[in-house]
Amino acid sequence: MAEPAPAYTVASDSEATLEEKSSSHLPEIAIGIDIGTSQCSVAVWNGSEVELIRNTRNQKLMRSYVTFKDEIPAGGVSNQLAHEYEMLSGAAVFNIKRLVGRVDTDPVVHASKSLPFLVQTLNIGVRPFIAALVKNMWRSTTPEEVLAIFLIELRTMAELKLKRPVRTVVLTIPVAFSRFQLTRIERACAMAGLQVLRLMPEPTAVALLYAQQQQQNVHENMGSGSEKIAVIFNMGAGFCDVAVSATAGGVSQIKALAGTALGGEDILLNTMRHLLPDMDSHFSTRGMEEITRMGLLRVATQDAIHKLSSLSNVQIDVDLGNGRKICKVLDREEFEEVNREIFEKCESLIRQCLHDAKVDTGDISDVILVGGCSNIPKLQKIVKGVCKKDPYTGINPLEAAVRGAALEGAVASGVNDPFGSLDLLTIQATPLSIGVRADGNSFIPIIHQNTTVPVRRDMIFTTVHDNQAEAMIIVYEGDDKVVEKNHLLGYFKITGIPPAPKGVPEINVCLDIDAANVLRVFAGVIMPGAQNPAAPVMEVRMPTVDDGHGWCAEALNRSYGSTLDLVTVQKKGAR
Amino acid sequence: MWAASLSTHQQFLNPNPFKNDQNFNFKNPIWWRKQNSVSARCCLKKTEESKNHYELLGVSVDASAQEIKNAYRKLQKKYHPDIAGEKGHESTLMLNKAYKVLVREDLRREYDKSIGRVRVGIQSNTFRSKWREPLRPQALFVDENACVGCWKCVHYAGNTFTMDETCGSARVKTQYGDDDTKIEISVESCPVNCIHWVDSKELAVLEYLIQPQPNVGYGIYGQGWERPTNVFMAAKSFNKHLEQQEESKQRQGKSKDEEETPAQAEAREHAYKELQTGGFARIWSWMKRSTGQ
């Protein structure tokens, strides 16, 4: 990451106190932040346990939105909503986690077009245009800016409570985030003057909290010290994640991860469309009145879904004005049928994760359900059905991720606890494979999915043309055989390959991921029999792509065709 | 050569000698991101090549999967970058690699073959000697058939040898339990020259075979305990037998392997490739040399 150039500064005497801090050799304890699609929270290790930080209104969980209605934008931490509809007036931008780091061809971006603020797409693979409605004018913003404003509020809140500057954070992220999206989160943090210590997939943060609980049980002689397999299912407003972890002795080892951009928001949109089938055409003009109506429908539907968690049917009455009225009794079966595809996807995600972890349902010790959607009876039923176990009850489903992040913040900051409560470790795994384009248009993984990090792997490639002097290394992340269906991370050229028949030069590509999840790509050329590389070895930190590089691979292909291609080498040693 | 292996061992055991006074710096991402260079990342390659996976995890070649898991977790808690700072990166890479191979039964079997070790499949018992130090290429072995029970070796090197009163013969309890001079004297002192220096790889089989086995008798005749008269010959044929078993096991395993998804097979193949570090490490060893590490 480039040097953080804070575009926003927090008025505090943080500069002076920070110097004091570093000279006293005391590690600064990183705080844990969970920015959810709909709610966010901050937690910190207070010396004996993890504590959630409350804002001035005594809230632990705050709404994730930023409103642009005043001169200075304000987020859900400091701002008090007069009423729910204010958030839906068009002046507030929310659900930003679903939009960050996505291009305008992404279906998730398109699904966000029914939100009250403006999401404009050109469908050419560039970042979407996002704007808030202020005094009947669309004021443009970016997802990073919205996140940064929000992070500054969270940071100020934490600094006020902790009476010290806050510089380092552990953030939770969805499993489904690409590495490019992670750089956007880091950018937002840099804008807010925060240094990211770790980015933790949400279910792995929950797994760490679980590891601590198990460790405490062992200390109190309540549980056995043997290895426990836990399945963690996390579904919030924007994302759905699954992790399988093996826990023993305070060490949480992630065996497999799976995730997708499906969440409560999709359930809500589906249900809204079910109640008002012509919703999209209805709201396409996006005038003040339409936005108000959409807000009415949204609040009513949200309310109904919440009620369906405990009731078997619910009465919906909304007056959309303009003569449109919705009066309907929605029962639970109907609701489940409307969202059948989403629930099926959740089920297959859990099954896939169990399969990847090579875990049988009989081996599962605990099933942990967290996130805002964990109250939905259908989801509870699915999880129970797949794992053949009742959900674990020792964890608060809305606070688990942020608590785990705070634990990791303390552990990775080097804090020790005399009572052994921080005698913990999380061993992470890669959610997606990482590799390069070779053998024509194939994706050749070098680091496979669910590989324990830190990891370093290399692979040898060779040229496809006689006297090929250059080769293009195009790095992708994903699990699709077809290279374009994966996320492009970056590309660079290896030059100075000595003239030789095709297949002779050895091009060694090495990928290295450290514990902070930083990916480095090394590439060098060696001629057979030679001791030294033919040209200087390259080291490139990935991802290097920026917004709008979705079409870069296409442009490269147009310019170079197959002239700079690579193929894998069949090693004699490998059978 | 032993000294070299010991020093690299210590180097590994102590990846972060400055931990106490520079703790904050190592944890500071800005600091280490600036400091990081290829040379720093590849300088430990030597250690990686000179230690085998079992030595790295500090487990015996016969260790159970559970023992391996426990050892891995314990070491990770010491060397993971979350705890040891950036210095832990190389150590953790090695640990992850070793663990990945040893925890998968098929990969472990192939690895055992590649380093020339045979797992006998017996857990520790009184006939097994223990290694307190890292494995050395040679080990002490008492041919108990020849031993006359003179107590001399126990007298000179009591931490290494022990006397089994029921069998009336001496036995190695701890490999290199005393210093080298004492051990040499005790080996020299044996009146029947029954203390042998053997290849460490063969030790497990020899120690297994020297155990008296109950004889199947008929009525009161022919019962009792018996050992092979020439334990070294027996070990040879035993090894041969094991190899055959191994082969047939693999042939049986084939059908199972075919059920693997292509991705799994590929991953396995890849891991196997990694074992042949030689060719793949050329670039990195060049870097090491050119940067003077």
Side-chain angles (χ1 to χ4, degrees):
Chain A
M1 200 85 255
E3 278 298 301
Y8 303 85
T9 43
V10 177
S12 76
D13 52 351
S14 54
E15 277 353 285
T17 37
L18 188 81
E19 246 159 55
E20 245 169 64
K21 257 261 125 61
S22 51
S23 62
S24 68
H25 281 284
L26 266 173
E28 181 199 328
I29 303 176
I31 62 169
I33 299 184
D34 175 25
I35 311 184
T37 310
S38 89
Q39 282 185 316
C40 65
S41 48
V42 179
V44 68
W45 176 258
N46 68 6
S48 57
E49 59 177 5
V50 169
E51 190 186 334
L52 263 74
I53 298 177
R54 292 168 186 271
N55 68 3
T56 48
R57 276 165 286 132
N58 207 26
Q59 290 172 313
K60 285 195 284 187
L61 302 170
M62 289 143 282
R63 298 293 292 271
S64 303
Y65 70 91
V66 169
T67 170
F68 290 84
K69 71 176 182 343
D70 302 315
E71 204 57 34
I72 304 161
V77 180
S78 63
N79 186 56
Q80 169 88 59
L81 283 177
H83 51 83
E84 182 72 21
Y85 300 109
E86 197 188 315
M87 201 174 111
L88 304 169
S89 65
V93 175
F94 55 94
N95 274 3
I96 209 66
K97 207 166 152 190
R98 302 250 287 181
L99 292 167
V100 69
R102 288 185 194 273
V103 290
D104 62 358
T105 45
D106 196 316
V108 179
V109 172
H110 284 260
S112 302
K113 287 171 91 172
S114 58
L115 295 174
F117 55 91
L118 185 67
V119 179
Q120 202 178 69
T121 58
L122 299 171
N123 302 320
I124 56 164
V126 294
R127 64 191 303 167
F129 177 76
I130 293 164
L133 187 61
V134 185
K135 299 190 181 89
N136 216 15
M137 254 170 70
W138 289 112
R139 182 197 180 284
S140 82
T141 183
T142 61
E144 291 87 349
E145 185 184 45
V146 172
L147 275 174
I149 294 168
F150 206 70
L151 281 164
I152 287 175
E153 291 204 339
L154 289 172
R155 179 181 153 191
T156 315
M157 176 184 93
E159 285 180 338
L160 262 168
K161 271 270 145 60
L162 300 174
K163 298 186 178 64
R164 66 166 169 93
V166 170
R167 281 296 149 118
T168 51
V169 288
V170 173
L171 272 168
T172 61
I173 44 150
V175 171
F177 260 23
S178 69
R179 280 180 180 269
F180 174 66
Q181 286 178 296
L182 300 187
T183 65
R184 300 300 92 184
I185 298 282
E186 278 172 346
R187 172 77 52 88
C189 285
M191 285 163 89
L194 292 168
Q195 177 75 45
V196 177
L197 185 62
R198 294 281 186 272
L199 290 172
M200 251 186 138
E202 276 154 35
T204 70
V206 179
L208 187 64
L209 180 66
Y210 173 77
Q212 191 206 29
Q213 293 187 348
Q214 294 309 307
Q215 182 81 326
Q216 271 164 1
N217 285 349
V218 172
H219 285 165
E220 289 156 16
N221 289 325
M222 277 162 63
S224 66
S226 61
E227 181 181 83
K228 294 210 161 158
I229 305 285
V231 177
I232 295 126
F233 178 83
N234 170 43
M235 191 163 177
F239 296 88
C240 173
D241 315 300
V242 192
V244 176
S245 81
T247 302
V251 179
S252 158
Q253 215 175 324
I254 304 304
K255 293 177 84 103
L257 286 169
T260 177
L262 268 184
E265 184 64 29
D266 298 284
I267 294 177
L268 178 63
L269 283 178
N270 265 344
T271 317
M272 279 164 75
R273 248 178 224 120
H274 175 68
L275 295 173
L276 188 67
D278 59 344
M279 178 180 90
D280 295 302
S281 61
H282 209 76
F283 293 130
S284 58
T285 52
R286 232 174 249 273
M288 290 292 263
E289 274 171 34
E290 280 89 357
I291 288 172
T292 314
R293 264 182 248 149
M294 184 143 47
L296 287 169
L297 178 64
R298 200 181 157 90
V299 171
T301 316
Q302 210 159 12
D303 190 48
I305 294 173
H306 288 166
K307 280 183 180 153
L308 279 176
S309 290
S310 49
L311 305 172
S312 60
N313 62 62
V314 62
Q315 170 77 34
I316 301 169
D317 286 301
V318 214
D319 187 353
L320 295 177
N322 203 11
R324 289 294 294 257
K325 262 189 184 180
I326 295 174
C327 276
K328 190 177 161 39
V329 175
L330 182 68
D331 64 21
R332 204 185 270 175
E333 284 74 40
E334 197 177 340
F335 166 74
E336 285 168 6
E337 183 54 34
V338 168
N339 293 296
R340 191 163 50 90
E341 270 179 39
I342 292 174
F343 294 133
E344 277 171 1
K345 178 74 194 156
C346 292
E347 183 170 348
S348 71
L349 211 60
I350 304 172
R351 287 192 194 282
Q352 183 205 325
C353 199
L354 285 171
H355 175 263
D356 292 347
K358 300 186 187 69
V359 163
D360 291 327
T361 47
D363 303 331
I364 301 170
S365 310
D366 281 303
V367 180
I368 306 167
L369 235 87
V370 290
C373 290
S374 58
N375 277 333
I376 297 177
K378 176 72 182 173
L379 278 175
Q380 294 173 345
K381 216 166 99 190
I382 286 172
V383 173
K384 212 172 143 181
V386 177
C387 301
K388 314 262 184 305
K389 229 176 176 74
D390 280 323
Y392 182 77
T393 51
I395 275 181
N396 180 331
L398 298 179
E399 297 175 3
V402 73
R403 283 181 185 274
L407 283 176
E408 172 67 3
V411 171
S413 301
V415 181
N416 285 313
D417 179 53
F419 301 104
S421 302
L422 286 180
D423 191 16
L424 303 171
L425 178 66
T426 174
I427 300 177
Q428 296 276 338
T430 51
L432 295 168
S433 302
I434 301 166
V436 296
R437 175 182 175 272
D439 297 350
N441 217 19
S442 301
F443 172 63
I444 308 295
I446 296 177
I447 293 178
H448 286 262
Q449 189 190 22
N450 296 324
T451 303
T452 305
V453 290
V455 62
R456 179 186 300 150
R457 293 284 156 81
D458 54 4
M459 213 164 175
I460 294 180
F461 297 89
T462 189
T463 50
V464 288
H465 304 288
D466 291 339
N467 300 327
Q468 185 177 335
E470 299 181 330
M472 186 83 76
I473 313 266
I474 312 178
V475 184
Y476 283 90
E477 174 186 54
D479 282 291
D480 205 295
K481 277 243 174 283
V482 182
V483 78
E484 284 93 2
K485 290 194 179 163
N486 300 303
H487 305 289
L488 176 69
L489 294 182
Y491 39 82
F492 59 93
K493 235 170 33 176
I494 291 230
T495 55
I497 304 173
K502 65 181 176 190
V504 171
E506 284 184 7
I507 298 163
N508 190 321
V509 180
C510 174
L511 306 187
D512 177 293
I513 303 176
D514 67 17
N517 204 20
V518 175
L519 169 67
R520 284 183 173 78
V521 181
F522 301 91
V525 190
I526 277 201
M527 299 305 285
Q531 279 301 309
N532 297 349
V537 171
M538 315 264 299
E539 175 187 344
V540 183
R541 205 180 139 172
M542 295 272 167
T544 57
V545 292
D546 210 331
D547 278 308
H549 282 207
W551 40 264
C552 268
E554 224 175 281
L556 285 172
N557 194 27
R558 228 182 2 249
S559 304
Y560 296 100
S562 71
T563 53
L564 305 183
D565 268 11
L566 288 173
V567 286
T568 46
V569 172
Q570 301 302 323
K571 261 274 170 188
K572 274 172 241 145
R575 302 167 311 135
Chain B
M1 183 222 157
W2 289 352
S5 81
L6 267 180
S7 73
T8 50
H9 185 72
Q10 268 152 8
Q11 189 184 343
F12 174 65
L13 284 179
N14 205 357
N16 195 354
F18 311 108
K19 191 175 176 184
N20 293 333
D21 44 324
Q22 290 194 1
N23 204 7
F24 183 56
N25 270 348
F26 284 129
K27 302 281 160 104
N28 184 336
I30 296 183
W31 182 84
W32 66 254
R33 276 176 197 179
K34 276 185 195 151
Q35 292 292 311
N36 251 325
S37 65
V38 183
S39 56
R41 302 184 140 257
C42 299
C43 65
L44 277 159
K45 197 77 190 180
K46 194 170 112 211
T47 325
E48 190 171 351
E49 279 158 10
S50 64
K51 286 178 80 78
N52 82 34
H53 292 345
Y54 291 103
E55 290 165 38
L56 191 71
L57 289 175
V59 294
S60 77
V61 281
D62 297 333
S64 66
Q66 196 54 49
E67 281 170 331
I68 289 170
K69 276 185 188 172
N70 288 345
Y72 171 72
R73 289 204 179 101
K74 229 173 164 175
L75 287 168
Q76 278 281 46
K77 261 194 164 172
K78 240 178 179 166
Y79 300 118
H80 194 277
D82 273 7
I83 289 157
E86 175 52 19
K87 285 240 163 186
H89 182 71
E90 292 293 332
S91 326
T92 311
L93 281 178
M94 284 149 60
L95 285 176
N96 282 345
K97 199 169 170 185
Y99 179 73
K100 190 187 167 188
V101 172
L102 297 191
V103 89
R104 291 262 314 263
E105 192 52 39
D106 49 347
L107 294 181
R108 185 177 171 184
R109 218 183 296 136
E110 279 184 49
Y111 177 71
D112 283 349
K113 264 169 98 183
S114 78
I115 60 165
R117 286 250 158 77
V118 185
R119 268 184 289 150
V120 185
I122 40 163
Q123 292 306 312
S124 60
N125 60 43
T126 55
F127 287 82
R128 301 289 314 277
S129 56
K130 291 198 169 55
W131 290 86
R132 270 212 323 235
E133 289 181 45
L135 284 175
R136 299 199 199 176
Q138 285 206 308
L140 285 163
F141 172 69
V142 178
D143 183 358
E144 295 181 38
N145 281 329
C147 181
V148 288
C150 71
W151 286 86
K152 275 196 175 155
C153 52
V154 184
H155 176 72
Y156 287 118
N159 292 325
T160 307
F161 298 98
T162 180
M163 183 58 76
D164 186 334
E165 305 263 7
T166 39
C167 296
S169 55
R171 184 172 302 143
V172 182
K173 64 174 176 189
T174 311
Q175 297 288 346
Y176 302 98
D178 298 88
D179 61 46
D180 290 0
T181 352
K182 277 188 185 170
I183 289 170
E184 244 167 70
I185 294 172
S186 61
V187 173
E188 290 294 310
S189 74
C190 181
V192 289
N193 289 330
C194 70
I195 305 174
H196 299 269
W197 289 102
V198 298
D199 199 328
S200 301
K201 295 170 197 162
E202 281 161 14
L203 187 68
V205 173
L206 288 170
E207 285 181 341
Y208 171 67
L209 289 173
I210 204 69
Q211 295 176 78
Q213 300 293 331
N215 254 346
V216 185
Y218 304 94
I220 55 164
Y221 300 103
Q223 277 189 5
W225 299 78
E226 198 189 52
R227 292 183 165 129
T229 40
N230 186 340
V231 70
F232 295 102
M233 287 303 287
K236 250 184 205 165
S237 62
F238 184 81
N239 276 336
K240 215 172 179 183
H241 180 68
L242 264 186
E243 257 167 47
Q244 284 167 353
Q245 254 188 350
E246 207 57 18
E247 265 171 37
S248 67
K249 224 191 242 173
Q250 281 200 331
R251 252 179 273 126
Q252 285 170 357
K254 279 270 162 63
S255 57
K256 237 193 267 166
D257 282 354
E258 277 158 18
E259 281 170 22
E260 279 182 325
T261 64
Q264 280 173 327
E266 209 176 316
R268 191 169 55 77
E269 223 166 69
H270 189 74
Y272 182 79
K273 259 192 228 168
E274 274 212 334
L275 294 173
Q276 325 274 319
T277 39
F280 286 79
R282 274 163 64 195
I283 276 197
W284 314 117
S285 59
W286 168 81
M287 277 182 177
K288 192 176 66 198
R289 268 183 287 118
S290 66
T291 52
Q293 294 278 339

